[in-house]
Amino acid sequence: MAIISVINGPNLNMLGTREPSIYGAQTLQDIENNLTQLAQKHGHELIFYQSNAEHDLVNKVQQSKQDNVAAILLNPAAFTHTSVALRDALLASATPFIELHLSNVHARESFRQHSYFSDIAEGVISGFGPKSYELALLAALPLIEQP
Ligand code: DQA
């Protein structure tokens, strides 16, 4: 059994009502419930965290080692395109992470096509709506099941 941290950045608390044509109709709670079931099937525990504040996200990432987190599933939301601080926190924590997005950021505005995380992530999943979270969890399994 491993602990996987699922960290969501700003405005993802608004899922369900936020631009549903882009982000879908599921709430963050719906996504977390589905993900919990999938994690349980694979015998792992999830910790969920969402914040609109960059420093809170940095603090949460910094705590990863103390929390015994084996991997992070990260949707940095708008901080994807702006946050050197969150990038540095991930490098400092040295916890493997998967970057994920509900929308296909490469098919959107040009400012969304640069990420401060993609080059240091284990991999990136983008564009599958709420399924992006499930795909990220499945992608994390081999990382945490290494001896
Ligand atoms: C997002 C994409 C970002 O560009 C945007 O700022 C978000 C959500 C996504 O999940 O598609 O808030 O990370």
Side-chain angles (χ1 to χ4, degrees), residues 13-120:
N13 57 315
M14 301 288 289
L15 288 179
T17 55
R18 176 191 180 198
E19 298 181 273
S21 60
I22 298 174
Y23 298 115
Q26 287 192 31
T27 64
L28 188 55
Q29 188 65 61
D30 293 335
I31 290 172
E32 291 178 352
N33 292 345
N34 288 340
L35 214 55
T36 299
Q37 284 185 11
L38 184 60
Q40 278 169 358
K41 268 192 215 156
H42 291 275
H44 299 301
E45 185 188 327
L46 300 181
I47 299 175
F48 294 107
Y49 187 74
Q50 188 277 329
S51 179
N52 295 325
E54 188 175 25
H55 70 277
D56 287 333
L57 295 164
V58 167
N59 287 340
K60 190 66 185 170
V61 168
Q62 286 184 3
Q63 269 172 34
S64 300
K65 287 283 180 251
Q66 289 103 294
D67 292 347
N68 278 322
V69 169
I72 298 172
L73 312 184
L74 175 68
N75 185 346
F79 291 141
T80 307
H81 320 297
T82 63
S83 184
V84 177
L86 194 51
R87 174 192 173 93
D88 285 350
L90 285 151
L91 288 170
S93 92
T95 307
F97 77 95
I98 294 174
E99 175 185 347
L100 76 104
H101 303 282
L102 293 141
S103 64
N104 178 355
V105 288
H106 299 287
R108 300 184 62 194
E109 302 96 321
S110 58
F111 66 83
R112 294 188 202 275
Q113 290 167 30
H114 175 259
S115 165
Y116 278 96
F117 302 93
S118 301
D119 64 312
I120 58 166

Side-chain angles (χ1 to χ4, degrees), residues 122-139:
E122 298 294 324
V124 182
I125 293 167
S126 183
F128 298 95
K131 275 238 171 271
S132 289
Y133 287 84
E134 293 173 33
L135 294 170
L137 177 57
L138 294 174

